[in-house]
Amino acid sequence: MRKAERLFQIIQILRRSNRPVTSAQLADELEVARRTVYRDIAHLIGQRVPIEGEAGFGYVLDPRYDMPPLMLTAEEIEAVLLGVQMVAKLGDPAINAAARDVIAKIASTVPDDLLPFIAEPSVSLKPDKVMDSLTLDSRPVRRAIREGRKIELEYRAANGAVTSRIVWPVLLGHEDARCLLIAWCESKQAFRHFRTERILDLKVLEETIGLSRGKLRQQWLQWREAELSRSRQAL
């Protein structure tokens, strides 16, 4: 790891920790000798990075310190690229376009010496079939989730019956080769997972859920945990 990358990584490690980080911990994560850590810390302090502490006690970073944006390491760039490849397999044109825009923004801001990591990353997913179950435009669904609005669905069940439902969307989930709209169903008075390829029509309503996004998600997580517990007990 080059010195510049190492210095940025030290700042990241200190930033994400809520307690002093020892030189030994830094050395282990960076895979360098402790004396290298001492030199790097001294260099950062000399560059007016507000690090406090000493050898044997640990180091902390002033939480008010603001590092320049998008100062990414090669590994962070490759992690983003891998995520973009995963997104591409979901078959959602809007999300895929947004992911490509992220890469374009990163490429326009990182130093020239990091551009090869974008053009020729060392990680890649196996070329595979793109998920084809997402047959609806996800943008209004995601907007409804963000704004806490109800959705009216026309949905075809597994037996072919078509019903109209009003739901409170929680999130769009992806499982194997299918996409699911996870929502509270008003008619069933329960959480349901709707397969998106069975949604025949969808309309975002002006009416709001009346419950915070975090609270609704927490209720779904509790419901899911209860369902998993019942499944384990039935085994």
Side-chain angles (χ1 to χ4, degrees), residues 104-162:
K105 289 178 180 179
I106 291 175
S108 68
T109 55
V110 299
D112 290 343
D113 61 337
L114 290 178
L115 291 177
F117 296 106
I118 297 177
E120 300 173 349
S122 64
V123 293
S124 180
L125 292 181
K126 176 184 176 182
D128 206 349
K129 182 180 179 181
V130 174
M131 181 189 301
D132 58 3
S133 64
L134 190 61
T135 56
L136 83 162
D137 185 349
S138 71
R139 288 173 294 184
V141 178
R142 291 184 281 110
R143 178 172 60 84
I145 294 172
R146 291 193 296 266
E147 297 178 358
R149 297 189 180 278
K150 298 182 181 182
I151 292 177
E152 184 176 3
L153 296 179
E154 187 175 320
Y155 188 73
R156 184 181 64 243
N159 61 5
V162 176

Side-chain angles (χ1 to χ4, degrees), residues 9-35:
Q9 192 61 25
I10 288 174
I11 293 175
Q12 291 292 84
I13 295 170
L14 296 179
R15 173 179 278 169
R16 71 175 184 241
S17 178
N18 57 7
R19 64 184 64 184
V21 182
T22 66
S23 58
Q25 291 172 316
L26 289 168
D28 286 345
E29 182 158 347
L30 298 171
E31 298 182 343
V32 297
R34 292 173 66 176
R35 62 178 178 273

Side-chain angles (χ1 to χ4, degrees), residues 13-202:
I13 295 170
L14 296 179
R15 173 179 278 169
R16 71 175 184 241
S17 178
N18 57 7
R19 64 184 64 184
V21 182
T22 66
S23 58
Q25 291 172 316
L26 289 168
D28 286 345
E29 182 158 347
L30 298 171
E31 298 182 343
V32 297
R34 292 173 66 176
R35 62 178 178 273
T36 302
V37 171
Y38 297 145
R39 288 197 298 265
D40 288 345
I41 291 289
H43 179 85
L44 288 169
I45 293 174
Q47 295 297 315
R48 300 182 183 276
V49 177
I51 297 174
E52 298 181 357
E54 58 186 23
F57 170 73
Y59 301 97
V60 294
L61 177 69
D62 188 327
R64 293 170 296 181
Y65 176 69
D66 187 21
M67 190 168 58
L70 288 179
M71 298 303 290
L72 304 178
T73 66
E75 288 189 347
E76 290 169 340
I77 288 174
E78 292 180 335
V80 173
L81 290 170
L82 196 60
V84 169
Q85 293 178 37
M86 292 178 178
V87 164
K89 291 181 177 293
L90 301 180
D92 186 329
I95 289 290
N96 195 17
R100 291 197 303 270
D101 288 344
V102 169
I103 295 301
K105 289 178 180 179
I106 291 175
S108 68
T109 55
V110 299
D112 290 343
D113 61 337
L114 290 178
L115 291 177
F117 296 106
I118 297 177
E120 300 173 349
S122 64
V123 293
S124 180
L125 292 181
K126 176 184 176 182
D128 206 349
K129 182 180 179 181
V130 174
M131 181 189 301
D132 58 3
S133 64
L134 190 61
T135 56
L136 83 162
D137 185 349
S138 71
R139 288 173 294 184
V141 178
R142 291 184 281 110
R143 178 172 60 84
I145 294 172
R146 291 193 296 266
E147 297 178 358
R149 297 189 180 278
K150 298 182 181 182
I151 292 177
E152 184 176 3
L153 296 179
E154 187 175 320
Y155 188 73
R156 184 181 64 243
N159 61 5
V162 176
T163 59
S164 179
R165 307 173 183 228
I166 294 178
V167 302
W168 304 1
V170 179
L171 57 82
L172 277 174
H174 295 276
E175 178 187 36
D176 298 328
R178 67 178 58 161
C179 180
L180 304 172
L181 170 59
I182 299 166
W184 170 266
C185 179
E186 288 190 352
S187 61
K188 297 295 185 181
Q189 286 293 291
F191 286 102
R192 290 289 185 267
H193 293 182
F194 298 96
R195 292 175 56 166
T196 55
E197 75 271 18
R198 293 180 181 171
I199 296 177
L200 305 178
D201 194 21
L202 179 150

Side-chain angles (χ1 to χ4, degrees), residues 211-225:
L211 194 67
S212 74
R213 181 179 174 186
K215 183 67 174 177
L216 181 63
R217 186 182 180 92
Q218 183 62 34
Q219 290 181 359
W220 168 67
L221 289 172
Q222 291 172 350
W223 171 84
R224 185 182 65 172
E225 183 58 35

